[in-house]
Amino acid sequence: MAPSIYHQCAALLNILRRFKWNLFSIVTTSLPGHEEFVATMRKLTEFKYDGEVYKIQETVVITNFNKKNLDQQMRQQLRETDTRIILLYANSVETKNILREAKVVGLSGREYMWLVTCNSAASIVEDEEAPPEFPAAEFPDGMMGLTYITDDADTFKREVQNGVRIWTKAMEQMVADNPDLEEDSLVPNLSCEHNQVVRWDKGHKFYQYMRNVTLEEDYYLEVPAVEGFKEDGSLKNMELEIVNLNGGKWKKIGKWTSEHGLTITAINWPGNSTTPPTGIPEKYELKVVTLKEPPYIMYDEPDPETGECNPGAELCRIAPLNVTQQYGPNATRNATLYKCCSGFCIDLLRMLSSKIGIKFEIFEVEDKLWGAPNENGEWNGMVRTVMDHKADMVMTSLNINPERSSVIDFSVPFLETGITIVVAVRDGVISPTAFLEPYDYPAWCTILVFSVHASGAAIFIFEWLSPAGLAQGKQPITEHKFSLFRAFWLIWAMLFGAAVNVDNPRGVSSRFMANIWALFAVVFLASYTANLAAFMIAKEDFFDLKGIEDVRLQRPEFNNPEFRYATIPNGSTAISLKKNYPKMYSYMVKYNKPNIDMGVEAVKNGEIHAFIYDASVLEYRATHDKNCKLRTVGNWYAMTGYGVGFPKGSKWKAKIDKLILEFQYNGELERLAQYWLSGACKRASEASVSSHPLKILNFTSAYILLASGILLGGILLILEHGYFKFIRPKLRKWDKCGCCGLISLSMGQSLTFEQSVMETLDLSKHFKCKNPICETHRWKVQHELDLALLRVERLQNKLRQHDLSTDNLAVWKNDRPKAITFKENEEPKSKQPEKSYYSKIPEKNGKGASKYDITGHNAVKESKPLLYDKSHPHRKKLPYCQPVSGLPMEKETVL
């Protein structure tokens, strides 16, 4: 019948929600149920209520109340409680001890509210066992509590009566449902023996019946109705009284029911205040010092009418506090006094605030310096502000370094950084060698020297060896004009697609090799054209420094003009350079700039050549530059990170460290970095990736294609020779109707009779005998051929004299070799007739019949000379013939 721990936690949460006490702490003892109390409160605060989040800041468990040094230990544990709203779970004696020590350590007063459970509130005033030195008047006046059973005896009596009624009705129902139930089974088998099981075997069943009991209100006994119980055995509709300590006595100010919630009236607040405590301690309203540094801290002007900032920004004081106080409540409307701060660090501060539950006041450091020691070792800037406890926290892009860490505490780094260099990009012109830059020099040499000439030589060699080509010199050059240089000309013409006259090879292998080269040329030109566009642009000109160790920074006086560079004084970069590179630091002092804006502008207008500063800040500047005219160059130096600064021994360091590590683990910091640091301009390393010259390895596939073509060309050459030597004779016997000519003209022509005749004649013309017997035999055959041709011509002339038609399509007439031609009545082309072996002989029969004496040396000079057919490409002098007498001829004929 008494309220469960869950009911008490639910009632306390309703009180917290009523007064917007989002942050609270729990103080418990080892009283049974304290673990359940803490666990239930944690479970209930996992949810949002009306959009509000309620969090347990601290949980303090006080144990061992019997120790002599209890007071000191209790005070130390209570000091860990930071919030002003404290929930107490303890019995009456423990409650008095805890509240007494809380007053000693300053956890009482008008800013603190103690909420106690039923165990404490029921006996704070009435506990007769409490020693006289613990009067109720010494407890924090205004504290609140929950109570269920008061000092009213009638109320206690009514609850006992209700309990008996529930027990009786459950037993009646159990017996009615189980008529066979023996009476002995209803008696628990309990004894004082240690070996007996102390358990009623029917107890669980009886518990189920009791949980299903409902009772109506009994007006005679004046007991309230019971609407039933939940699964855990607690009442469905529980009612708790809300009491308030006023003048040392508990007074009822409201009630809480599980069905209707909280109802509350006038409250006596701690310290007789007229308003409830805010719930946020003064030490949770942290003062945060900062300094402008885009994108970590950026300034914008507040609304001139309302003095408020846009969502995502926080109000920051940039003027001294005594100045802003003179303007009163309208100071926030003045843009010279307040700014709206936004950026990476503001978002991080908001995330920390939502986790811890802090409020913050942001102000800019008065001297506008980061913090560095002077010659006397005295610090300035934000570091000095924190050292003097004028601020609880530094939130901006403050570098962690050993010098600063010796005077203030830092959180774990929330972002990695270092030192780098930014330079300006100057517009250039297109490089005069831009057309060569798509390939590196080894690639050009391989393509234009080796590939071109190797392919040309391969085509010529295949053509020279091919029986359909030059046939190792057997084919006269006058008939097939192809040479090594003409092969090179063909290769260059195919490479650049030039529309010029070229001599094509005839061999299958050489033609195949030419096609392979054409495919290679397509790959080469495609890759060349695709990469040429990346180089035919105006090159960006900037100082490509290698880093801090670059010779232009170490010895600037050796440059003409002198190389100028700078940084910001009193910053981590200046501290690092002064410590590690004193010569560089002393040189750049005269060029230093007071802030990042002036430093970047000096680089862009050429006042200085380079600016050295925090890497992440300069990367942001380079990627967000309006015209993308900034580049970060060189390797990062002195790698470190940004951290939150605290005074030495600050209690906030451990909490902030834990949250930053949590943000890193769940990706929140990476998300912030992507949002605030990424820009439209690419980094120098990213911009140059797409314009690297192609190397030989990038063109490996094309070279493999070319080498494979040469190998396959050699195989085709062997197959071509095999065809002419073995296959063609068999095809000639088989192909009687010229079907092979439909497949290939050259194959069909090679199988005809006239082609065989021409090949034989061509062989005879170019064949040179190497012994007298062969020469004599060759002359004899040639002489017989000449006589046969003369006889054929004579017969033709006779046919024409009788007006008979002749077969102009005869093989011997049109398809014979043109080495010997016959022409009639052709005038000499020169005054001096050419010497002929055949001359005209005077008429002997007087009938106009002429006879020719083939003598060669006895030609009649007055006769019309015989002329050669000089227009024919195969015109050659006939071999010397011996005189043959008695050969009649009708008309003069030219041989």
Side-chain angles (χ1 to χ4, degrees):
M1 301 295 290
S4 65
I5 291 179
Y6 173 82
H7 289 121
Q8 297 183 63
C9 291
L12 291 173
L13 182 61
N14 271 256
I15 297 175
L16 296 174
R17 292 174 56 190
R18 175 68 178 271
F19 300 105
K20 303 296 182 183
W21 292 331
N22 300 73
L23 302 175
F24 60 94
S25 294
I26 298 176
V27 177
T28 72
T29 63
S30 56
L31 182 71
H34 74 280
E35 294 179 348
E36 181 183 356
F37 179 80
V38 175
T40 304
M41 288 303 301
R42 291 189 185 279
K43 186 67 177 179
L44 292 175
T45 53
E46 288 180 356
F47 306 98
K48 288 185 178 181
Y49 300 92
D50 300 328
E52 297 288 338
V53 178
Y54 295 85
K55 294 184 178 181
I56 302 174
Q57 289 298 109
E58 299 288 345
T59 300
V60 179
V61 180
I62 301 174
T63 58
N64 300 324
F65 272 83
N66 297 325
K67 286 187 176 182
K68 296 181 180 180
N69 57 349
L70 172 64
D71 295 346
Q72 289 78 7
Q73 292 185 2
M74 189 184 303
R75 292 172 185 175
Q76 180 64 30
Q77 289 178 299
L78 290 174
R79 287 192 182 98
E80 298 177 3
T81 305
D82 293 328
T83 53
R84 297 183 179 182
I85 308 300
I86 304 171
L87 276 57
L88 178 61
Y89 183 87
N91 61 29
S92 58
V93 177
E94 294 170 343
T95 299
K96 293 176 180 180
N97 283 281
I98 291 172
L99 292 178
R100 182 197 62 188
E101 297 303 326
K103 186 175 182 180
V104 173
V105 297
L107 294 181
S108 62
R110 62 182 302 168
E111 297 297 332
Y112 291 88
M113 172 59 73
W114 286 79
L115 299 175
V116 297
T117 59
C118 298
N119 298 328
S120 302
S123 56
I124 278 186
V125 178
E126 302 173 346
D127 188 5
E128 298 179 356
E129 297 181 1
E133 60 266 26
F134 294 153
E138 294 186 4
F139 292 112
D141 203 37
M143 63 184 298
M144 300 172 64
L146 304 177
T147 183
Y148 176 68
I149 300 176
T150 64
D151 57 349
D152 188 358
D154 294 337
T155 303
F156 182 79
K157 181 180 178 180
R158 286 195 299 269
E159 295 298 332
V160 172
Q161 289 176 341
N162 253 346
V164 173
R165 291 174 60 199
I166 294 172
W167 190 94
T168 302
K169 187 173 183 179
M171 183 60 68
E172 291 176 351
Q173 188 66 38
M174 181 177 173
V175 173
D177 294 342
N178 300 275
D180 299 334
L181 193 65
E182 298 180 1
E183 295 183 2
D184 294 340
S185 63
L186 298 179
V187 179
N189 186 20
L190 301 178
S191 68
C192 297
E193 299 296 333
H194 67 277
N195 57 353
Q196 294 294 324
V197 178
V198 186
R199 178 180 176 83
W200 184 28
D201 56 353
K202 303 296 183 180
H204 179 71
K205 189 174 184 180
F206 183 64
Y207 170 76
Q208 299 293 334
Y209 277 95
M210 291 183 65
R211 197 177 61 183
N212 295 329
V213 171
T214 57
L215 297 176
E216 295 181 356
E217 184 178 0
D218 191 330
Y219 296 99
Y220 177 77
L221 298 177
E222 297 182 352
V223 293
V226 177
E227 297 179 2
F229 298 89
K230 296 181 180 179
E231 291 292 331
D232 60 353
S234 61
L235 288 173
K236 289 184 178 180
N237 186 17
M238 176 59 65
E239 180 177 328
L240 292 173
E241 292 184 352
I242 310 299
V243 293
N244 179 221
L245 189 61
N246 188 352
K249 293 183 179 181
W250 291 109
K251 292 186 178 181
K252 181 180 177 180
I253 58 173
K255 68 177 181 177
W256 175 87
T257 63
S258 57
E259 182 178 0
H260 302 290
L262 181 67
T263 303
I264 200 166
T265 58
I267 303 174
N268 175 45
W269 296 113
N272 295 321
S273 175
T274 57
T275 58
T278 60
I280 300 177
E282 184 178 357
K283 50 189 171 183
Y284 270 31
E285 296 175 357
L286 302 182
K287 294 181 180 179
V288 180
V289 63
T290 188
L291 188 60
K292 181 182 179 183
E293 179 84 290
Y296 302 98
I297 299 293
M298 298 186 293
Y299 289 168
D300 197 5
E301 294 186 0
D303 190 300
E305 295 182 359
T306 63
E308 297 179 353
C309 297
N310 295 325
E314 295 291 338
L315 201 63
C316 303
R317 175 171 56 83
I318 62 172
L321 182 60
N322 56 353
V323 176
T324 57
Q325 290 175 345
Q326 299 176 3
Y327 288 81
N330 296 325
T332 57
R333 303 179 184 179
N334 192 334
T336 61
L337 304 178
Y338 283 89
K339 296 288 185 181
C340 291
C341 294
S342 61
F344 183 99
C345 289
I346 297 299
D347 285 355
L348 177 59
L349 184 61
R350 284 184 160 189
M351 292 165 57
L352 295 172
S353 173
S354 64
K355 289 287 185 179
I356 303 177
I358 60 174
K359 291 185 178 180
F360 46 83
E361 175 192 354
I362 308 174
F363 65 95
E364 186 183 62
V365 61
E366 293 185 7
D367 58 5
K368 293 179 173 52
L369 298 176
W370 294 93
N374 56 20
E375 297 178 354
N376 299 327
E378 296 182 357
W379 287 81
N380 56 23
M382 292 184 292
V383 175
R384 187 69 197 183
T385 303
V386 174
M387 291 173 62
D388 294 341
H389 294 273
K390 295 180 180 179
D392 300 302
M393 182 187 298
V394 177
M395 181 59 77
T396 184
S397 54
L398 185 65
N399 281 68
I400 303 172
N401 58 36
E403 291 79 11
R404 290 173 177 168
S405 297
S406 63
V407 293
I408 64 174
D409 284 339
F410 279 99
S411 69
V412 295
F414 59 81
L415 192 67
E416 187 181 56
T417 186
I419 297 175
T420 192
I421 309 165
V422 68
V423 295
V425 176
R426 299 180 295 277
D427 293 332
V429 296
I430 298 177
S431 172
T433 60
F435 70 98
L436 295 175
E437 293 180 4
Y439 296 98
D440 61 0
Y441 291 109
W444 277 119
C445 293
T446 305
I447 294 170
L448 300 182
V449 177
F450 174 75
S451 301
V452 170
H453 295 87
S455 301
I459 291 175
F460 176 74
I461 292 172
F462 291 156
E463 185 68 10
W464 172 264
L465 298 175
S466 174
L470 294 177
Q472 303 182 32
K474 297 177 182 178
Q475 180 71 22
I477 297 179
T478 56
E479 294 183 5
H480 181 30
K481 299 179 180 179
F482 198 80
S483 63
L484 178 61
F485 277 31
R486 295 198 176 195
F488 291 154
W489 178 249
L490 174 65
I491 289 294
W492 285 105
M494 293 173 66
L495 179 62
F496 296 110
V500 295
N501 293 326
V502 294
D503 293 312
N504 296 318
R506 295 181 179 177
V508 177
S509 57
S510 53
R511 288 183 179 182
F512 176 78
M513 185 62 213
N515 289 330
I516 291 296
W517 173 256
L519 184 58
F520 176 87
V522 169
V523 176
F524 165 74
L525 291 177
S527 60
Y528 176 79
T529 305
N531 287 275
L532 183 62
F535 294 92
M536 296 298 291
I537 57 176
K539 281 196 169 183
E540 295 178 340
D541 185 21
F542 57 88
F543 294 106
D544 191 11
L545 303 175
K546 304 303 180 185
I548 296 296
E549 299 289 343
D550 196 283
V551 67
R552 283 168 287 189
L553 299 178
Q554 296 294 329
R555 296 187 175 183
E557 65 277 1
F558 288 177
N559 295 273
N560 189 18
E562 193 175 51
F563 197 82
R564 302 181 299 275
Y565 54 92
T567 188
I568 296 177
N570 298 309
S572 61
T573 304
I575 294 174
S576 179
L577 293 176
K578 185 178 181 180
K579 178 181 178 181
N580 301 307
Y581 299 96
K583 186 177 179 181
M584 282 181 58
Y585 179 79
S586 60
Y587 168 80
M588 64 193 302
V589 168
K590 56 186 175 182
Y591 300 115
N592 282 348
K593 302 300 177 183
N595 54 59
I596 182 68
D597 294 328
M598 295 182 66
V600 170
E601 188 62 29
V603 170
K604 295 175 70 173
N605 61 30
E607 181 182 345
I608 57 177
H609 298 117
F611 187 74
I612 307 173
Y613 197 58
D614 286 348
S616 64
V617 177
L618 293 184
E619 289 285 359
Y620 169 80
R621 291 281 182 163
T623 55
H624 288 77
D625 187 61
K626 182 178 181 181
N627 298 316
C628 297
K629 294 300 181 182
L630 293 176
R631 289 287 184 273
T632 54
V633 294
N635 298 323
W636 286 17
Y637 167 74
M639 295 297 295
T640 181
Y642 296 139
V644 182
F646 305 99
K648 279 288 185 179
S650 173
K651 59 175 289 184
W652 297 106
K653 181 182 181 305
K655 298 179 180 179
I656 299 299
D657 285 347
K658 180 179 178 182
L659 291 175
I660 289 178
L661 293 175
E662 178 184 337
F663 296 154
Q664 288 178 346
Y665 178 78
N666 59 28
E668 289 294 327
L669 290 180
E670 184 178 357
R671 181 186 62 81
L672 286 181
Q674 287 289 336
Y675 179 79
W676 287 105
L677 301 181
S678 59
C681 301
K682 293 183 178 180
R683 296 184 176 92
S685 57
E686 296 174 351
S688 61
V689 169
S690 60
S691 60
H692 283 318
L694 295 179
K695 299 182 179 180
I696 295 178
L697 293 177
N698 303 119
F699 220 59
T700 304
S701 59
Y703 292 133
I704 294 175
L705 172 67
L706 199 59
S708 302
I710 295 175
L711 180 62
L712 292 175
I715 296 174
L716 286 176
L717 179 63
I718 297 173
L719 294 176
E720 192 175 8
H721 277 279
Y723 166 77
F724 275 91
K725 188 173 182 179
F726 302 107
I727 300 176
R728 189 176 68 160
K730 297 180 179 180
L731 283 178
R732 183 177 293 164
K733 295 178 182 180
W734 175 78
D735 187 23
K736 301 297 184 181
C737 58
C739 296
C740 292
L742 299 176
I743 300 174
S744 172
L745 293 176
S746 59
M747 180 185 292
Q749 188 178 5
S750 68
L751 300 176
T752 59
F753 171 75
E754 53 270 25
Q755 180 68 19
S756 301
V757 173
M758 292 180 64
E759 291 178 0
T760 303
L761 292 175
D762 187 64
L763 180 63
S764 66
K765 291 177 184 178
H766 299 90
F767 182 76
K768 296 181 179 180
C769 295
K770 298 181 180 179
N771 56 75
I773 297 175
C774 177
E775 180 65 25
T776 303
H777 182 69
R778 187 197 64 79
W779 176 86
K780 182 179 178 181
V781 174
Q782 182 68 45
H783 183 67
E784 291 176 355
L785 177 61
D786 291 340
L787 291 177
L789 291 175
L790 288 175
R791 290 188 184 98
V792 171
E793 186 66 23
R794 180 173 60 84
L795 293 174
Q796 284 287 84
N797 291 334
K798 285 183 179 183
L799 290 174
R800 283 195 293 268
Q801 287 177 4
H802 292 83
D803 297 328
L804 297 176
S805 60
T806 60
D807 186 4
N808 295 322
L809 300 177
V811 173
W812 60 267
K813 179 70 176 176
N814 296 305
D815 297 329
R816 62 184 173 83
K818 300 300 193 258
I820 305 174
T821 60
F822 298 88
K823 289 190 177 181
E824 301 179 9
N825 302 325
E826 182 173 349
E827 295 294 334
K829 295 184 180 179
S830 60
K831 294 181 179 181
Q832 298 296 332
E834 297 183 10
K835 185 177 179 180
S836 176
Y837 294 99
Y838 298 86
S839 58
K840 186 176 181 182
I841 302 175
E843 296 181 359
K844 296 183 179 180
N845 52 13
K847 296 181 181 181
S850 299
K851 293 183 179 179
Y852 288 80
D853 184 11
I854 306 177
T855 60
H857 296 286
N858 300 325
V860 181
K861 294 182 180 180
E862 65 270 20
S863 301
K864 185 176 181 180
L866 300 175
L867 302 177
Y868 294 115
D869 183 5
K870 298 181 179 179
S871 64
H872 200 282
H874 298 287
R875 177 186 61 79
K876 297 180 68 175
K877 289 185 179 181
L878 294 175
Y880 178 76
C881 300
Q882 296 292 331
V884 178
S885 59
L887 181 63
M889 290 196 176
E890 297 291 338
K891 295 177 66 176
E892 66 177 15
T893 305
V894 179
L895 295 179

